[in-house]
Structures are given as C-alpha cells and as structure tokens.
C-alpha cells in the first residue's frame, strides 16, 4: 500500500517535472524542523483538488523564479496561475481521478506550517537556492461517524428536494503546454488519456459519484450509468 509520504512525494515529482525551470528540478522533503521555510513575502499560488483522494496544494515562489516562469509563458497577459496550472494538475492526477479547482493567488502560511502538510523544496541540481516550495495536505475521504447532527429526517430532506445541482461528465483529461494551447486551431485533434469505450466520470457539483458510458438519445448525447460509488469511494 502506498504510504501518505510516498503519495505526496510522487505528486511533488510530477509537479517538479513540469515547472518551467532551466534544468529539471529535484523535489526534496523539507520538514519545518529543518529550519528553512518559505518567506511570507514570496508569491504563492494555491488550489483544492476533489477526487478519489482530495488535497490542498500550494506553490511558493521567490521573485526570481516568478520572473522566470512568467518569461516562459511568452509575450501576452498570461497569469502565473495559468502557466503553473499544468504542473499542479500533474501533481493532483497522481492522487487519482478528480477535479482541480481554480488556482488562486494569496498567502498560505497556515498550510505550510500545518503538521499534516508535507513540504518539498524544489531545487535545480547543484544549486543551493530553492527554485520553489511545494506544499500538499491530503484530506480523508472515508466515511464519517454518524452523529445526531448528521441524522436527517424525511421532513428535512423535503426542504432541499427542489435544490438544483450541476451534474457533469468527464470523458478524459490531457496536459498541454501554454504554447500548444495558444497554437490550437479549428480542426485540431486533442488526445485524451482514456481509450475509446472507457467509462466516463460522473460528477455532482464537482464530486465524483459514479461512472457511465456515453450514449446518443434522439441525436443528443447522454450517459448510461454503470456504477454508483458508495460513501467510502466518493469525496467526503
């Protein structure tokens, strides 16, 4: 069984491989007790991941690294969040299927200092100065103990029967560089990470609840549900 540290280390390696550095980066576990932690004045990007294993992820960048990353994005008003999203997606996808939220800018000192968070120092080989810091904190998606507050009566359930929820279907993912995205034109084909006929993910408000197969009904697409996940398999 993959341990938590191993899971997070694999995620850190996947992120490091896609960061736009001059040479491949090395991800080294760096506990707060090591004495060096990201400075509060650095630029930080953070994002939530909801899926089979949910997590909070953040990257903190020194000003020199931020400049290099923005230059790697090429000319134009492309934000650091857009440039780094593929790297964050690569890290998140090592945790299993799920949905990555919007990448936002802001301080995340609480995440980096949390004892349940694993922090990784990303450096270029032979360089003692950190190119970036990566923090990842996994969330438990298991079933929760039943409590009186969690017990919902049929009468209370009736109050939310008319609440609308967004049901979406994901047939696959892919990773592309910013340059490739900007080069897309009508008629281009983008390969996804699933074979034809593979089950699609069914998401309810971004939460993975089941799998199904794509069908056509009266010349419109639909999905035939083939599996509904139980509470232990869905996002808590």
């Amino acid at each position: 069984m993959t341990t938590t540290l191993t899971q997070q280390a694999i995620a850190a390696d996947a992120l490091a491989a896609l960061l736009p550095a001059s040479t491949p980066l090395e991800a080294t576990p760096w506990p707060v007790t090591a004495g060096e932690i990201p400075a509060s004045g650095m630029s930080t990007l953070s994002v939530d991941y909801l899926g089979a294993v949910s997590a909070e992820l953040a990257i903190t960048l020194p000003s020199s690294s931020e400049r290099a990353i923005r230059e790697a994005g090429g000319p134009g008003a492309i934000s650091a969040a857009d440039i780094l999203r593929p790297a964050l997606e690569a890290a998140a996808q090592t945790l299993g299927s799920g949905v990555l939220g919007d990448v936002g800018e802001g301080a995340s000192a609480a995440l980096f200092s949390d004892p349940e968070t694993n922090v990784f120092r990303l450096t270029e080989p032979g360089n003692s100065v950190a190119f970036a810091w990566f923090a990842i904190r996994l969330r438990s998606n298991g079933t929760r103990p039943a409590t009186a507050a969690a017990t919902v009566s049929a009468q209370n359930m009736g109050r939310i029967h008319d609440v609308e929820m967004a049901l979406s279907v994901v047939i696959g993912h892919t990773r592309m560089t910013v340059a490739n995205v900007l080069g897309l034109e009508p008629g281009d084909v983008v390969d996804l990470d699933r074979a034809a006929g593979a089950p699609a993910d069914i998401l309810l408000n971004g939460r993975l609840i089941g799998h199904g197969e794509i069908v056509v009904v009266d010349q419109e697409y639909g999905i035939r549900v083939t599996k509904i996940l139980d509470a232990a398999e869905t996002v808590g």
Side-chain angles (χ1 to χ4, degrees):
M1 179 180 295
T2 302
T3 65
T4 298
L5 179 58
T6 301
Q7 268 189 317
Q8 297 185 352
I10 293 173
D13 288 339
L15 176 132
L18 287 186
L19 286 181
S22 57
T23 58
L25 298 175
E26 297 176 345
T28 304
W30 201 264
V32 175
T33 54
E36 184 182 2
I37 58 174
S40 58
M42 296 183 183
S43 176
T44 299
L45 301 173
S46 58
V47 65
D48 288 337
Y49 184 69
L50 300 178
V53 176
S54 295
E56 298 167 77
L57 305 92
I59 303 177
T60 292
L61 302 164
S63 57
S64 58
S65 299
E66 184 179 7
R67 286 195 301 270
I69 285 172
R70 291 185 182 278
E71 290 173 359
I78 301 177
S79 67
D82 290 336
I83 297 171
L84 293 179
R85 185 177 179 88
L88 289 165
E89 286 180 340
Q93 287 174 5
T94 65
L95 305 176
S97 61
V99 177
L100 192 70
D102 294 330
V103 180
E105 297 186 18
S108 58
L111 177 61
F112 276 91
S113 61
D114 191 317
E116 295 185 358
T117 300
N118 272 74
V119 178
F120 294 84
R121 190 172 185 265
L122 308 179
T123 58
E124 297 176 339
N127 192 339
S128 60
V129 178
F131 180 88
W133 300 87
F134 173 59
I136 176 171
R137 178 171 60 194
L138 302 186
R139 299 174 182 166
S140 173
N141 290 336
T143 54
R144 296 184 175 89
T147 63
T151 303
V152 182
S153 68
Q155 180 180 1
N156 289 335
M157 284 294 294
R159 298 175 182 173
I160 61 173
H161 280 172
D162 295 331
V163 175
E164 294 186 359
M165 304 185 76
L167 184 72
S168 54
V169 176
V170 177
I171 61 172
H173 302 84
T174 190
R175 295 200 299 268
M176 302 177 68
T177 63
V178 174
N180 288 339
V181 172
L182 295 177
L184 288 177
E185 296 181 355
D188 289 347
V189 176
V190 178
D191 292 334
L192 302 179
D193 59 358
R194 298 191 188 180
D201 293 335
I202 303 174
L203 307 176
L204 187 64
N205 277 10
R207 171 176 177 165
L208 180 66
I209 64 166
H211 301 290
E213 58 184 23
I214 304 299
V215 297
V216 177
V217 181
D218 295 331
Q219 298 185 348
E220 293 184 347
Y221 286 114
I223 185 166
R224 179 182 292 113
V225 179
T226 57
K227 181 180 181 181
I228 295 296
L229 304 181
D230 59 31
E233 297 174 296
T234 59
V235 177

